[in-house]
Amino acid sequence: MTDAASASVYPRTSSKRHRIALIEGPNTSNMGKRTKSVYGEIGTLDELKAFCVEVGARFGVEIVTFSSNHEGDILEFVHETADEMDAYIVNPAGLTVNGMATLHALVETYKPFVEIHFANVTAAPGHPRAVPVGPWDSLFTPYATGVSMGLREHSYVGAILSLTLALDDEGFLGAKAAHS
């Protein structure tokens, strides 16, 4: 177990076991072969998924993982799970600047979503946490409930915990949506 996953759980205001889908977009399948200072020590996408499921369990939430290098597969996953998920965490990865169909699908779930990146995708070239071919203007950021980036795998811990606490907060995300 990693240190992050074994950290004490921040006090929650609810005992509801939220279901959060974690979506990994194109190029995350290359995990472990990328710049370690930016992308960390997680060796494979399966290791990342297991790490996130374990972190979610520590926070009392179910993390359902999905990954694909194909946007159509991601769209089908979002469409098929919209009624059963409380929220989404998405690393659009290769879709960050051109994944309008994925963004549209997420927005139309009417569920909160957090955009996540290992790197700081908005950092200036040469910054130690920047993407090698950036900075990027993400299509997702203006529509996301929140963004967690630049902290390698720790960005995932922050996103899972923050989204869980926000879902617990009846005055924030836990409140019944006006469009429901």
Side-chain angles (χ1 to χ4, degrees), residues 31-32 36 39-45 47-48 51 118 153:
M31 190 78 49
K36 298 286 186 212
Y39 297 101
E41 297 297 325
I42 296 211
T44 67
L45 185 54
E47 287 177 19
L48 175 64
F51 171 78
F118 279 83
E153 68 273 14

Side-chain angles (χ1 to χ4, degrees), residues 70-88:
H70 306 284
E71 188 170 22
D73 294 341
I74 295 169
L75 294 173
E76 288 176 7
F77 175 78
V78 172
H79 294 156
E80 291 168 1
T81 61
D83 290 337
E84 55 195 63
M85 293 299 146
D86 296 305
Y88 291 86

Side-chain angles (χ1 to χ4, degrees), residues 126-147:
H127 185 279
R129 297 291 174 257
V131 290
V133 290
W136 295 348
D137 288 322
S138 171
L139 292 174
F140 293 76
T141 301
Y143 299 93
T145 306
V147 179

Side-chain angles (χ1 to χ4, degrees), residues 33-67:
K33 299 175 185 158
R34 303 171 85 184
T35 309
K36 298 286 186 212
S37 64
V38 175
Y39 297 101
E41 297 297 325
I42 296 211
T44 67
L45 185 54
D46 286 340
E47 287 177 19
L48 175 64
K49 289 177 181 182
F51 171 78
C52 291
V53 167
E54 187 174 336
V55 169
R58 293 280 178 170
F59 296 149
V61 299
E62 179 184 357
I63 303 295
V64 176
T65 64
F66 181 81
S67 60

Side-chain angles (χ1 to χ4, degrees), residues 69-112:
N69 284 324
H70 306 284
E71 188 170 22
D73 294 341
I74 295 169
L75 294 173
E76 288 176 7
F77 175 78
V78 172
H79 294 156
E80 291 168 1
T81 61
D83 290 337
E84 55 195 63
M85 293 299 146
D86 296 305
Y88 291 86
I89 296 172
V90 60
N91 181 347
L95 298 173
T96 301
V97 297
N98 62 3
M100 185 59 75
T102 298
L103 172 61
H104 190 205
L106 286 167
V107 168
E108 285 197 333
T109 66
Y110 301 103
K111 305 290 174 75

